[in-house]
Amino acid sequence: MDAQGRGRAGDNNVDPADQWVFDPNTGNYELRLDHAGQAPARPAGRKTAGSRRAAGKPGDDTDTRPLPTQRARGDESADAEERPGGGRASRRAAGGRAAAAAAGPASRRKRKPKKSGKQKALYWTAGVVGFVLVAGCGGAFYLYQQLNGNISKVDVGVENDAVSDGPVNVLIIGTDARSGKGNSGYGDAGSVGHADTTILMHISKDRSNATALSIPRDMITDIPNCPTKQKDGSTKNIPGERGVRFNTSLGQEGRDPGCTWRTVEKLTGLKINHFMMADFNAVKSLSTAVDGVEVCAGKDLNDPKSHLKLKAGRHIVKGEQALAFVRTRHAIGFGSDLDRIKMQQQFLSSLIRKLKSSAFSSPGKLYDVSQAATKALTVDTGIGSANKLLDFGTDLKKVDIDKVTFATVPVLDNPDDPATVILNKTAADPLFAMVRADHALAKGKKGKGKKSAPAKKAPPEQVRVDVTNGGGPIGSAQETVDWLQNTKAAKLSTNAGNAPAKLAATRLEYAPNQADQAATLADWMGLPKSALKKSSQNAGDRTPMKLTLGKDFKAPGSPIEAPTETPDGVQNVNADDKNVCAK
């Protein structure tokens, strides 16, 4: 018999799609790889006519044998040919059933009407769990209970619940490990696997939107001390480093994903809930499982390093070609890692669209993608089982694809090393503040009615302000003046020392004729409207505004209030944008 009690004995050609069983209690399909809950198999032996009549006697409540599975129309004649006695056995059985029907209701249960193809598709759509991204290896996939054995996990010393009531931050790591089946032949042979591609995925508290921040691998940053679990169960503390490449937060000196986790938390100020990591095989297996991913080339691409060759236009890539696409950088832009990030974001966006639209249109396809995904995945212990991943994915599936935005952490060329970059704090700090405040990453919101005209802003050389410290960290006033003069060219800013009283919130006092100066300073400092205090009378030409730094002040360039629109200079693209082409 097959896995569902159908077919002939010895037939082991089980279609995975036939192993999915509809659960009426949840309204979802579940994968049944064991025999629990399956329909009873057809009995091997044949009953006599007398036993059939006995089983069908009306009013007999003592028979506790399982009811036989009802045959489809036309099965009875086939059974009659197999029995000793052939047609006579068939006629006796038919007579017994007729007598039972005349005496009262039949004891066997009716088979539920078979779902049409369209109805099945609707059930599959309703039962799918949420998508999970794997950056750089590009993926979104669905995980089910019976796939536990495929999942690898790492204890990073932090175990959070799979489902959270608040925002969720998932660190997605694509490692460049060259060891293992399918990973050889790319770049440096025997690489321990660094954080080659890293995306911090922030899912909003109300699950209405998601922001994916790509972190450049060659960015110079600080790596904090990192406790790592060893194979013998002990913990080894790996010392941190200052001023090193971000990608060395994994693999180097024996660092595990928990070290990358801690590095990203220090960099962004965001608390991470979970991590997911995959290698080169992920992009190959996942792109193949979904029958290819559509990508766009804005020009002919020929990268001898990644072995990508594409004519200008749209293409479906999978397997090795898909991996070549996400690894390419020499054939586009300036050939930098920042250009490669754009390729990866295009690929991931397209993969998500493919998964959302058609990848789960059948049980067989769902099974294939689930297998490919779980085999490619390494996660933290908080989501280190299929049950936890199922809960996690179900919680996140509410995010619509047109509300998923990819962005790149803003960086500048490193004057000390042209092969690396440094964080652009002026643009990055407002971006991180925006994500911490759970604001959707979008270039403004479309609304009805007229928009108010933006306030007129004074040029930097006209901004005159005295800065006092009324509750910020020690030295904040001078640090802010240095920042205003050196970063913003506001040469008329002055350190006025400590304020006479402590303030809970930062405050900017200005006169009506200083409104343009106030607008400029408020934009630089990220001040909320509540921080602006306008006097009733105009000030003299050389009278400065008064900026008092309150307890809410953290550092110059770090907004007091998080912006609600994507800061200028931050590269971003919506996952639903189909017009993005690599060039």
Side-chain angles (χ1 to χ4, degrees):
M1 306 299 289
D2 67 14
Q4 294 294 331
R6 294 187 293 271
R8 298 184 184 279
D11 183 2
N12 293 321
N13 296 321
V14 180
D15 185 347
D18 291 336
Q19 295 179 316
W20 296 87
V21 180
F22 179 70
D23 185 345
N25 294 321
T26 64
N28 295 336
Y29 278 83
E30 295 182 358
L31 178 62
R32 298 286 177 83
L33 298 183
D34 57 7
H35 297 287
Q38 295 178 2
R42 181 180 295 177
R46 301 296 176 180
K47 297 182 182 296
T48 65
S51 66
R52 283 178 176 267
R53 283 193 295 269
K57 286 190 296 182
D60 185 356
D61 296 327
T62 62
D63 190 348
T64 59
R65 291 171 295 178
L67 294 172
T69 304
Q70 186 179 13
R71 290 180 175 83
R73 185 176 300 170
D75 282 356
E76 192 62 48
S77 60
D79 288 346
E81 294 175 1
E82 297 173 5
R83 295 192 193 96
R88 287 178 301 184
S90 175
R91 286 191 294 273
R92 284 197 299 270
R97 286 192 299 273
S107 61
R108 67 181 63 180
R109 292 170 292 187
K110 250 186 178 178
R111 184 190 295 268
K112 290 183 178 180
K114 191 174 181 181
K115 301 292 182 187
S116 68
K118 184 175 181 180
Q119 287 173 312
K120 281 184 178 179
L122 291 174
Y123 276 119
W124 287 117
T125 302
V128 166
V129 299
F131 70 86
V132 177
L133 298 175
V134 174
C137 312
F141 31 81
Y142 297 86
L143 309 172
Y144 280 78
Q145 293 179 356
Q146 286 76 14
L147 303 173
N148 252 342
N150 292 344
I151 303 170
S152 300
K153 56 188 174 184
V154 174
D155 184 356
V156 297
V158 180
E159 185 165 339
N160 295 319
D161 292 338
V163 178
S164 168
D165 292 334
V168 176
N169 296 305
V170 185
L171 186 64
I172 303 164
I173 306 171
T175 173
D176 60 354
R178 266 73 173 182
S179 59
K181 184 178 179 181
N183 286 322
S184 61
Y186 310 109
D188 301 328
S191 171
V192 294
H194 300 98
D196 190 57
T197 301
T198 305
I199 293 180
L200 178 59
M201 174 70 73
H202 172 85
I203 299 93
S204 66
K205 180 178 180 179
D206 62 5
R207 307 297 186 258
S208 66
N209 64 86
T211 297
L213 297 180
S214 294
I215 302 174
R217 67 178 185 180
D218 296 325
M219 183 181 69
I220 298 299
T221 190
D222 296 337
I223 300 175
N225 295 334
C226 178
T228 60
K229 292 282 186 179
Q230 304 299 299
K231 291 182 179 179
D232 61 2
S234 63
T235 298
K236 177 182 178 181
N237 287 304
I238 301 176
E241 292 186 86
R242 296 179 62 85
V244 294
R245 290 178 189 248
F246 173 84
N247 69 341
T248 60
S249 64
L250 177 68
Q252 201 80 8
E253 308 297 334
R255 295 189 178 102
D256 66 9
C259 301
T260 307
W261 176 315
R262 291 170 175 83
T263 302
V264 173
E265 285 190 336
K266 182 176 181 180
L267 174 69
T268 65
L270 288 155
K271 286 295 181 182
I272 294 173
N273 300 81
H274 303 289
F275 89 86
M276 296 181 177
M277 182 174 70
D279 58 18
F280 288 142
N281 269 325
V283 68
K284 293 191 291 185
S285 58
L286 283 168
S287 60
T288 300
V290 299
D291 298 325
V293 176
E294 183 181 73
V295 296
C296 178
K299 64 177 183 178
D300 291 349
L301 301 179
N302 185 0
D303 187 347
K305 297 287 187 180
S306 70
H307 308 296
L308 178 70
K309 288 186 179 181
L310 285 180
K311 292 290 185 182
R314 296 189 176 276
H315 304 270
I316 302 295
V317 297
K318 61 182 177 180
E320 292 287 350
Q321 192 178 34
L323 177 59
F325 186 87
V326 300
R327 293 184 65 237
T328 286
R329 63 186 177 94
H330 295 287
I332 56 172
F334 296 102
S336 70
D337 183 54
L338 299 178
D339 295 307
R340 188 183 67 135
I341 286 175
K342 295 177 183 178
M343 299 281 281
Q344 294 167 349
Q345 291 176 348
Q346 181 195 155
F347 180 87
L348 285 168
S349 297
S350 183
L351 179 57
I352 296 172
R353 293 196 298 270
K354 181 69 174 287
L355 288 168
K356 285 280 190 177
S357 64
S358 61
F360 300 100
S361 57
S362 71
K365 182 60 65 179
L366 178 62
Y367 181 85
D368 290 344
V369 176
S370 298
Q371 285 285 356
T374 50
K375 287 179 180 178
L377 190 65
T378 298
V379 300
D380 62 282
T381 52
I383 50 175
S385 71
N387 281 336
K388 292 178 180 179
L389 275 169
L390 178 62
D391 292 340
F392 179 68
T394 302
D395 179 40
L396 304 187
K397 74 176 183 179
K398 304 165 189 175
V399 181
D400 292 331
I401 187 171
D402 62 346
K403 297 299 190 299
V404 178
T405 304
F406 286 90
T408 302
V409 171
V411 292
L412 300 170
D413 292 335
N414 186 356
D416 299 326
D417 180 6
T420 62
V421 293
I422 57 176
L423 185 70
N424 180 355
K425 283 184 63 65
T426 301
D429 286 346
L431 174 63
F432 296 152
M434 185 175 180
V435 178
R436 288 195 299 267
D438 208 22
H439 293 166
L441 201 65
K443 278 284 187 182
K445 299 178 181 179
K446 295 181 180 179
K448 296 181 179 179
K450 295 181 179 179
K451 294 183 179 180
S452 58
K456 182 181 177 181
K457 295 180 181 178
E461 63 271 14
Q462 293 181 13
V463 176
R464 188 186 296 270
V465 60
D466 282 350
V467 182
T468 60
N469 189 357
I474 296 174
S476 293
Q478 185 59 50
E479 185 181 6
T480 299
V481 169
D482 291 341
W483 179 76
L484 288 171
Q485 293 186 354
N486 299 326
T487 305
K488 299 300 183 182
K491 302 301 182 182
L492 299 179
S493 54
T494 305
N495 179 3
N498 291 326
K502 300 292 185 181
L503 297 179
T506 298
R507 184 170 66 196
L508 175 61
E509 300 173 69
Y510 67 100
N513 60 338
Q514 296 172 325
D516 55 347
Q517 297 181 50
T520 300
L521 186 59
D523 183 54
W524 289 342
M525 300 287 295
L527 300 178
K529 290 182 179 179
S530 59
L532 305 182
K533 306 298 180 183
K534 184 170 67 172
S535 63
S536 58
Q537 295 182 350
N538 288 337
D541 291 341
R542 295 181 177 273
T543 302
M545 300 182 292
K546 294 181 180 179
L547 175 64
T548 305
L549 305 177
K551 294 180 180 179
D552 58 350
F553 178 81
K554 299 296 185 294
S558 179
I560 303 299
E561 182 179 63
T564 56
E565 295 185 7
T566 307
D568 293 336
V570 176
Q571 176 270 333
N572 66 95
V573 61
N574 191 275
D576 202 30
D577 188 351
K578 302 176 183 179
N579 298 316
V580 177
C581 292
K583 56 185 179 180

